């Protein structure tokens, strides 16, 4: 099939002059926004070099000296920390059983009110968010009874005739990704997991493909960049009207691992090119000598990025995560994604890194760019805002720095194939992990906030910490929580990076940091001593905080999984043979049968 073929629209009757003028104005505004973004993306940054595909050696690009490199352990840890691993397993079982008692079959669980709810509202329209999201954790822990109950519900109850609007990205990464991961694990289970079952594996695969088929209409745009929402029952798909009918960068470029693995299983190239189409337009927008960074919205009609914020948090984050992971998933064959990763991460280092020098050693952090108009021209300003979501970045940089051309995966030191830029990636990655851990250890509760703002050293008062949070205003309606606040909602990104770092090094420091975080969850987030599940808190900087009546599904599927694997034997899941999707569902590495047409 021609993956770049542009669909033609049907000829329509003539329209009024007023509608014509409105349409022309909208087109002009869109064109100007795309042009301004192109001019921004095309500017050269002195520290950014073109990727290796251009035969130019990649060089270090961080704009300051980094703290001294942490030495790798002479005797890496390989064995499990059984006591801590079992403590995490207990927390998982308490959470699972609370959901099972009070919310079974519903998409989400509310631990304070002890009820379940569905994304579509109706009690008979579950999407399987919690059950499917937690399925691979049941397999990895060898929980036979719990697994069989979840499997039977998926086989006998779960269906896709769901009449309502569902987010395409969330449905793909959580439900389709969870089913595909369970299918892969039941074909080839890791050590100390449930025994293989080819029958179950095929059932999960079939369910995933049926869901994928229902998602197809969302990808029927001129570029193949998907719309935001889909009605699985009717096939109607919907643009994001709140954001000028655009598609977010992260959502359009974080369905690739799932659809590519499904294409590999089914030998259906349609799924493959559904994943490749959005990447084609992103590649064009970032092709050297343009910048490797992109604003957070794409135009699904033209494929062009729209003028707007550039950030590594919400709506941008997993685009950068999936660049190196696509290269790993396809067994180091799709080199274009490794080139794109290097190009983008050079841009991150040279453009979006900040350094807090008010303490020793300094802390690295990330910033955001936002456009503003200055004398009829677009200028770019920085702000020192860092989402908790950005804490995936440290682990992603360490993972990318460990990818070697000879097909091995190990830290880039004492290796003739490792470049200075790879070593810098590793060091920046470690320092970003350390900064994210700092946002936990230096809060009143030991838990990290949703969003922090790093402070300029010259504005700090003596004895204060490098970052601040905006506190929750409890006089407001609790359902109207501010988007910038001091909540912790059980997010996984920091422990995700700790798991990756430990897997690559065996350094016990990462386990120490992870255990400290787990203990804070235990102290502040348990409901009824854990038997009622776990809940987020509304203010990490107050010991007088309040619990939030929601146990996010990623608590089961991501946060506890990464903590469990952090203390499990290092050979439990090999990062050379498995790739975790952005919802922490492991998918196997494979040799692709469909060639990429992106270069």
């Amino acid at each position: 099939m021609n993956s770049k073929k542009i669909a033609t629209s049907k000829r329509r009757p003539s329209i009024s002059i007023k509608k014509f003028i409105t349409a022309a104005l909208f087109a002009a505004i869109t064109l100007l926004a795309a042009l301004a973004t192109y001019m921004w993306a095309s500017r050269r940054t002195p520290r950014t070099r073109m990727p290796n595909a251009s035969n130019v050696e990649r060089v270090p690009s961080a704009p300051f000296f980094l703290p001294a490199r942490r030495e790798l352990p002479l005797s890496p840890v390989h064995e499990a920390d059984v006591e801590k691993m079992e403590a995490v397993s207990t927390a998982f079982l308490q959470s699972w059983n609370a959901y099972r008692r009070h919310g079974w079959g519903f998409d989400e669980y509310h631990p304070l009110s002890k009820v379940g709810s569905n994304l579509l509202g109706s009690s008979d329209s579950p999407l399987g968010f919690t059950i499917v999201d937690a399925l691979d954790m049941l397999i990895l822990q060898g929980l036979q009874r719990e697994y069989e109950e979840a499997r039977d519900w998926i086989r006998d109850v779960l269906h896709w005739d769901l009449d309502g609007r569902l987010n395409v990205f969330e449905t793909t990464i959580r439900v389709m990704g969870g089913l595909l991961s369970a299918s892969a694990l039941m074909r080839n289970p890791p050590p100390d997991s449930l025994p293989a079952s080819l029958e179950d594996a095929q059932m999960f695969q079939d369910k995933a493909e049926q869901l994928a088929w229902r998602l197809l209409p969302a990808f029927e745009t001129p570029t193949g960049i998907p719309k935001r929402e889909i009605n699985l029952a009717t096939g109607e798909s919907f643009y994001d009207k709140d954001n000028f009918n655009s598609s977010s960068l992260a959502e359009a470029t974080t369905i690739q691992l799932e659809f590519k693995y499904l294409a590999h299983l089914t030998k259906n190239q349609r799924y493959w090119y559904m994943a490749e189409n959005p990447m084609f337009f992103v590649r064009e927008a970032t092709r050297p000598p343009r910048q490797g960074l992109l604003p957070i919205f794409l135009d699904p009609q033209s494929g062009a990025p729209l003028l707007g914020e550039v950030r590594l948090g919400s709506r941008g984050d997993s685009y950068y995560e999936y660049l190196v992971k696509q290269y790993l998933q396809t067994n180091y064959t799709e080199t274009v994604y490794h080139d794109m990763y290097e190009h983008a991460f050079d841009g991150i280092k040279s453009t979006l890194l900040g350094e807090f020098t008010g303490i020793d050693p300094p802390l690295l952090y990330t910033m955001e760019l936002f456009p503003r108009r200055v004398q009829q021209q677009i200028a770019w300003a920085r702000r020192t805002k860092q989402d908790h979501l950005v804490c995936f970045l440290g682990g992603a940089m360490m993972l990318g720095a460990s990818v070697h051309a000879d097909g091995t995966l190990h830290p880039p030191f004492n290796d003739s194939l490792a470049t200075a830029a790879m070593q810098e990636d590793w060091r920046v990655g470690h320092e970003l992990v350390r900064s994210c851990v700092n946002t936990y250890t230096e809060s009143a509760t030991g838990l990290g906030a949703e969003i922090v703002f790093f402070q300029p050293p010259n504005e700090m008062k003596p004895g204060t910490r490098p970052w601040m949070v905006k506190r929750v205003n409890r006089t407001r309606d609790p359902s109207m929580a501010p988007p910038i606040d001091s909540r912790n909602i059980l997010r996984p990104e920091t422990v995700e990076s700790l798991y990756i770092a430990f897997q690559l090094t065996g350094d016990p420091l990462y386990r120490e940091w992870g255990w400290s975080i787990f203990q804070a969850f235990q102290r502040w987030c348990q409901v009824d001593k854990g038997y009622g599940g776990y809940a987020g808190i509304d203010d990490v900087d107050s010991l007088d905080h309040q619990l939030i009546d929601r146990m996010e599904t990623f608590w089961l599927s991501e946060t506890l999984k990464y903590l469990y694997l952090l203390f499990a034997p290092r050979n439990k899941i090999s990062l050379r043979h498995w790739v975790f999707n952005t919802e922490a569902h492991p998918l196997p590495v494979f040799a692709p049968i469909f060639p990429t047409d992106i270069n």
Side-chain angles (χ1 to χ4, degrees):
M1 81 182 258
N2 182 358
S3 63
K4 303 298 176 297
K5 185 176 180 180
I6 306 299
T8 57
S9 59
K10 296 180 180 179
R11 186 177 299 276
R12 298 185 177 185
S14 60
I15 57 177
S16 67
I17 297 298
K18 182 177 180 181
K19 289 184 177 180
F20 176 80
I21 293 174
T22 301
L25 284 173
F26 179 81
I29 292 170
T30 302
L31 180 62
L32 287 172
L35 179 61
T37 302
Y38 176 84
M39 292 174 66
W40 169 80
S42 299
R43 79 196 198 287
R44 291 179 180 268
T45 302
R47 292 181 180 273
T48 302
R49 300 294 297 273
M50 293 192 296
N52 292 339
S54 304
N55 296 319
V56 176
E57 182 179 355
R58 187 167 172 245
V59 298
S61 54
F64 35 69
F65 292 106
L66 297 172
R69 174 172 72 87
R70 177 174 174 81
E71 295 299 324
L72 301 180
L74 295 177
S75 300
V77 176
H78 293 282
E79 64 275 9
D81 187 325
V82 176
E83 181 181 358
K84 293 181 175 63
M85 183 179 71
E86 290 180 349
V88 176
S89 289
T90 298
F92 175 87
L93 272 172
Q94 289 175 337
S95 303
W96 176 261
N97 287 331
Y99 164 75
R100 181 178 173 274
R101 284 191 299 270
H102 304 296
W104 180 252
F106 285 93
D107 292 332
E108 296 184 325
Y109 174 56
H110 305 278
L112 303 185
S113 52
K114 292 182 171 52
V115 296
S117 65
N118 284 330
L119 298 177
L120 296 178
S122 172
S123 61
D124 60 352
S125 298
L127 185 60
F129 254 40
T130 294
I131 294 176
V132 177
D133 229 3
L135 185 61
D136 51 11
M137 260 296 269
L138 302 176
I139 297 170
L140 291 170
Q141 294 177 96
L143 299 174
Q144 185 74 45
R145 180 178 65 85
E146 292 81 1
Y147 164 76
E148 290 177 354
E149 190 173 23
R151 176 203 61 197
D152 293 349
W153 184 90
I154 292 169
R155 182 191 62 212
D156 301 333
V157 178
L158 184 61
H159 64 88
W160 310 127
D161 289 319
L162 303 174
D163 190 7
R165 292 165 68 147
L166 293 168
N167 183 283
V168 173
F169 158 74
E170 296 286 359
T171 303
T172 299
I173 65 170
R174 299 192 193 210
V175 184
M176 197 171 96
L179 291 169
L180 290 174
S181 180
S183 178
L185 291 169
M186 293 307 288
R187 281 188 174 87
N188 183 25
D192 299 319
S193 303
L194 290 179
S197 169
L198 297 182
E199 180 181 357
D200 288 358
Q202 188 61 49
M203 185 269 290
F204 294 138
Q205 177 185 322
D206 292 343
K207 283 278 187 180
E209 185 172 16
Q210 292 161 13
L211 175 58
W213 189 257
R214 299 286 186 117
L215 292 170
L216 289 178
F219 292 81
E220 293 174 356
T221 64
T223 59
I225 294 173
K227 301 178 188 178
R228 181 174 174 80
E229 293 176 314
I230 184 79
N231 184 313
L232 295 179
T234 67
E236 186 178 6
S237 55
F238 308 90
Y239 289 107
D240 184 358
K241 290 187 177 179
D242 292 335
N243 291 290
F244 308 104
N245 291 340
S246 64
S247 298
S248 88
L249 174 66
E251 293 184 3
T253 58
T254 314
I255 46 85
Q256 281 65 34
L257 298 186
E258 299 79 7
F259 275 100
K260 285 185 173 182
Y261 181 54
L262 181 62
H264 173 73
L265 287 176
T266 62
K267 308 299 186 290
N268 187 335
Q269 68 174 353
R270 183 172 187 179
Y271 299 129
W272 184 270
Y273 292 112
M274 281 172 60
E276 292 271 275
N277 284 344
M279 299 308 302
F280 171 83
F281 291 96
V282 169
R283 173 58 168 165
E284 291 304 302
T286 59
R287 189 178 294 278
R290 302 173 195 144
Q291 258 284 15
L293 307 178
L294 285 175
I296 57 173
F297 289 111
L298 302 173
D299 179 2
Q301 303 299 313
S302 67
L306 300 179
L307 182 66
E309 298 179 17
V310 177
R311 64 186 186 218
L312 304 171
S314 61
R315 297 185 181 271
D317 50 357
S318 45
Y319 160 63
Y320 302 97
E321 174 191 354
Y322 267 34
L323 289 178
V324 67
K325 286 186 175 181
Q326 287 186 76
Y327 180 60
L328 292 172
Q329 182 191 39
T330 53
N331 202 27
Y332 292 21
T333 57
E334 291 191 312
T335 56
V336 62
Y337 294 117
H338 186 256
D339 294 342
M340 290 174 70
Y341 151 77
E342 290 188 333
H343 188 37
F345 278 60
D346 281 346
I348 289 172
K349 289 189 297 183
S350 64
T351 308
L352 298 182
L353 276 190
E355 180 185 40
F356 183 85
T357 57
I359 58 175
D360 187 29
L363 286 180
L364 298 192
Y365 58 89
T366 63
M367 297 179 288
E368 299 179 349
L369 293 176
F370 62 96
R372 59 183 182 179
R373 186 172 297 278
V374 178
Q375 296 179 349
Q376 306 304 313
Q377 293 186 342
I378 299 297
W380 292 87
R382 290 180 173 85
R383 58 184 165 221
T384 61
K385 171 175 169 283
Q386 180 172 288
D387 294 5
H388 188 283
L389 290 168
V390 180
C391 288
F392 85 93
L393 185 64
M397 295 192 80
M398 297 173 86
L399 181 63
S402 301
V403 174
H404 295 265
D406 61 356
T408 58
L409 188 71
H410 57 83
F413 301 106
N414 304 319
D415 189 317
S416 60
L417 297 178
T419 65
M422 292 169 64
Q423 295 180 28
E424 183 183 70
D425 282 358
W426 178 275
R427 294 176 64 190
V428 169
H430 169 80
E431 292 303 319
L432 289 174
V433 174
R434 186 168 67 86
S435 294
C436 286
V437 170
N438 185 271
T439 66
Y440 278 77
T441 58
E442 295 302 314
S443 74
T445 59
L447 292 172
E450 271 287 274
I451 297 173
V452 299
F453 291 83
F454 279 82
Q455 303 184 64
N458 59 351
E459 296 180 11
M460 271 191 67
K461 297 179 181 179
T464 59
R465 64 193 178 196
W467 46 269
M468 60 171 289
V469 294
K470 292 191 176 182
R471 309 289 295 278
V472 170
N473 182 353
R474 291 194 182 134
T475 63
R476 299 181 60 182
D477 180 348
S479 65
M480 301 294 291
I484 298 174
D485 57 48
S486 53
R487 293 176 299 162
N488 179 290
I489 60 171
L490 311 175
R491 283 202 189 274
E493 287 76 22
T494 298
V495 293
E496 172 187 356
S497 285
L498 291 174
Y499 164 69
I500 292 172
F502 178 75
Q503 278 293 298
L504 294 170
T505 64
D507 189 337
L509 173 70
Y510 301 116
R511 277 184 167 176
E512 294 171 16
W513 285 345
W515 182 245
S516 173
I517 291 172
F518 177 70
Q519 287 180 304
F521 282 130
Q522 289 290 88
R523 182 175 183 183
W524 301 112
C525 299
Q526 295 186 74
V527 177
D528 299 336
K529 297 183 179 180
Y531 292 98
Y534 286 68
I537 64 175
D538 71 348
D539 193 339
V540 300
D541 264 343
S542 172
L543 301 185
D544 188 32
H545 56 256
Q546 297 177 1
L547 292 172
I548 300 170
D549 191 17
R550 189 174 185 181
M551 187 174 79
E552 298 278 359
T553 69
F554 51 65
W555 167 247
L556 295 169
S557 68
E558 296 189 75
T559 308
L560 289 176
K561 182 185 294 165
Y562 283 126
L563 284 166
Y564 172 78
L565 292 174
L566 177 63
F567 300 113
R570 281 181 70 199
N571 66 349
K572 180 78 172 179
I573 292 185
S574 165
L575 293 182
R576 182 62 184 86
H577 300 103
W578 295 85
V579 176
F580 287 84
N581 86 336
T582 198
E583 191 70 11
H585 296 308
L587 300 170
V589 170
F590 60 87
I593 58 175
F594 303 114
T596 181
D597 53 1
I598 302 172
N599 53 49

